[in-house]
Amino acid sequence: MGRGDLSDAEWERLRPFLPVGNRRCGRWRDHRQVIDGILHRVRIGVQWRDLPERFGPWKTVYKRHRLWSADGTWEHLLQQVQAAAEAAGEIDWNISVDSTIVRAHQHAAGARRTRPRRHRGPNRQNTRTKSAVAESPRPAGGGGAGGEGLGRSRGGFTTKLHLSADGRCRPLSLIVTSGQRADCTQFKPVLENIRVPRTGPGRPRRKPDSLAADKAYSNGPCREYLRRRGIRHTIPEMTDSQAARLRKGSRGGRPPGFDEEPYKKRNTIERAINRLKQHRAVASRYDKRRYVYLGTATAAALTIWLRT
């Protein structure tokens, strides 16, 4: 057992939720061995071809990770672990929201601009080849660097990872965009992606008790969205917004409420980002496709939940 491999207790928590068929009437290679190989690559950042032999063929490990990133298996596993924590009352719903810049390696460029064509035989119009079946579940993308969440910012060729985290520094939701994308534009999608299922009857929990964010989210649309959902929030007012409000006098309205004590706990999101970036394949992006990198970050978040 390697240093980053799943323990027996962690494996038992994941095993009931793993897929049992590979959609092609075949048999999966041992899930535990392959997951250990994926987590090894996420933690070390090694090239897929350089995976140790104890994890099996590297192509098998890579294809499993790519498939689970495309069909939402990693997100499903993360939600099930979150559901078990919610049932035990272990989630602190005083959450924080922020983003972090991730430097993209030169190998992250060069994804195909269009999806591969499906090859059909001359007399078999409804039959797809094995390669077509493998390509079909891939999410749409391929629109160049922007379509794959790659952009230019002060850090150069970068990706931005937007996330929310609970009060125990564990990621609740993740979104990948280009590096130059403003934080406030992804505020609503990040909160909408919070979905913790109930172990019993009832809808998944999507609403936090309170929220803390920095000045990047201090604008009218963000505050209006939080008021509409009835979410208590602590967001400091930007200096220019404060000056503009004061210039208007009585027409500027009242200043937004701000409580310093809850805002002191916003460091939880910074610590959650630090935990994610302990995984080298998250701290530096090597994946060409956006959905594969999102799967890499989700797998890292899954290990944080399992080991916290």
Side-chain angles (χ1 to χ4, degrees), residues 146-168:
E148 298 299 344
L150 295 169
R152 297 287 180 178
S153 66
R154 291 183 179 181
F157 197 42
T158 54
T159 285
K160 184 172 281 190
L161 189 63
H162 307 260
L163 69 153
S164 63
D166 75 336
R168 298 184 63 186

Side-chain angles (χ1 to χ4, degrees), residues 15-34:
R15 185 174 55 81
F17 310 112
L18 293 171
V20 296
N22 64 357
R23 305 179 186 176
R24 294 200 294 267
C25 302
R27 296 178 60 186
W28 287 107
R29 190 177 185 90
D30 180 41
H31 275 319
R32 185 170 184 176
Q33 181 188 31
V34 173

